[in-house]
Amino acid sequence: LTGQQQEINNLIQRKIAVDEENARLKNEFSNLNQKFKDKSQELKDTEECAQKKEEQNRLVIKNLEEENNGLNTCCADLLNDLEKLRKQEAQWKTEKSGNDVRIKNLETDLTEAREQMKDLRSICSDLSSQVAVKQEELSQKDSDVIKAKKELQQLQNLYRQNIEHTAQQAELIKQLQALNTD
């Protein structure tokens, strides 16, 4: 009986430990889930930012192309005056060089934004994998808790049966003593 009580106490302690581990894992899962949501939002924000940058780049390139067309028209109009043409040509080259640098910088920014998106997708994928692993661990812990509860129930049933059997034995001993006295 003392051994069974000790075993019941051990199972109760195991159940408490499993419950604590289960709570810790649920908390960890909740934290990972929140990180996943944060990273997903960050990825979404980055994608939106990259989309806006691409749109801005297209507008800037379109404006620069229109500006270049205007410069070409201006150069054609100034062909009659050689001095003005040279000044205009020098100005156009300077502006074109600046525009090329700006286009190159915008292309570099776009490439960096794409790399960031790729990195964020990779992070989100890693977090999804971690969430899946933690969910599997949580499922296993839940299964362990259910098994421990079943074992505890069985031990409690055996304990009740043992008590009933002991009571019956005590009753029989009383009857035998009474018979013996008679």
Side-chain angles (χ1 to χ4, degrees):
L1 187 63
T2 303
Q4 286 179 347
Q5 186 63 43
Q6 182 65 37
E7 190 173 346
I8 288 171
N9 289 341
N10 289 342
L11 282 172
I12 289 171
Q13 288 176 354
R14 274 183 44 209
K15 181 189 178 300
I16 290 169
V18 166
D19 286 345
E20 288 173 355
E21 178 68 11
N22 197 12
R24 187 188 67 74
L25 285 172
K26 282 182 181 177
N27 189 29
E28 189 175 334
F29 171 73
S30 175
N31 291 339
L32 283 172
N33 207 13
Q34 185 60 44
K35 284 182 184 178
F36 175 72
K37 286 178 184 175
D38 293 345
K39 289 295 180 182
S40 295
Q41 184 60 43
E42 188 178 327
L43 175 62
K44 183 180 174 186
D45 294 345
T46 304
E47 286 174 345
E48 287 175 3
C49 181
Q51 203 170 18
K52 287 178 184 176
K53 279 189 177 182
E54 282 186 89
E55 187 61 33
Q56 288 173 351
N57 290 347
R58 281 195 286 271
L59 287 174
V60 168
I61 290 169
K62 183 179 176 185
N63 290 338
L64 291 175
E65 287 172 351
E66 289 174 1
E67 195 175 326
N68 279 337
N69 289 337
L71 289 173
N72 288 334
T73 302
C74 188
C75 286
D77 291 343
L78 295 174
L79 279 174
N80 294 332
D81 190 345
L82 185 58
E83 188 62 34
K84 288 182 181 181
L85 176 63
R86 286 182 181 156
K87 288 179 183 179
Q88 186 63 39
E89 185 181 7
Q91 181 183 351
W92 178 79
K93 284 181 180 179
T94 302
E95 289 179 7
K96 187 177 184 312
S97 174
N99 289 340
D100 289 343
V101 168
R102 285 175 61 194
I103 289 170
K104 187 173 182 180
N105 289 340
L106 290 172
E107 287 172 349
T108 302
D109 290 347
L110 183 60
T111 302
E112 288 174 0
R114 285 183 178 147
E115 282 298 318
Q116 286 178 353
M117 283 173 42
K118 184 179 176 183
D119 291 344
L120 286 172
R121 281 192 182 110
S122 174
I123 289 169
C124 282
S125 175
D126 291 345
L127 284 174
S128 293
S129 298
Q130 289 179 18
V131 166
V133 168
K134 291 301 177 187
Q135 283 176 332
E136 181 64 31
E137 288 178 7
L138 190 59
S139 175
Q140 182 62 43
K141 293 295 180 185
D142 285 343
S143 174
D144 291 346
V145 167
I146 290 169
K147 185 177 176 183
K149 283 180 181 178
K150 285 181 182 177
E151 289 177 6
L152 181 61
Q153 184 65 42
Q154 289 173 351
L155 284 172
Q156 286 173 339
N157 288 342
L158 285 173
Y159 181 71
R160 275 195 294 276
Q161 289 173 4
N162 195 10
I163 288 173
E164 289 172 9
H165 185 68
T166 303
Q168 287 174 357
Q169 284 179 342
E171 183 61 32
L172 282 174
I173 288 170
K174 280 183 186 178
Q175 289 175 3
L176 285 174
Q177 285 175 345
L179 285 173
N180 191 25
T181 304
D182 287 346

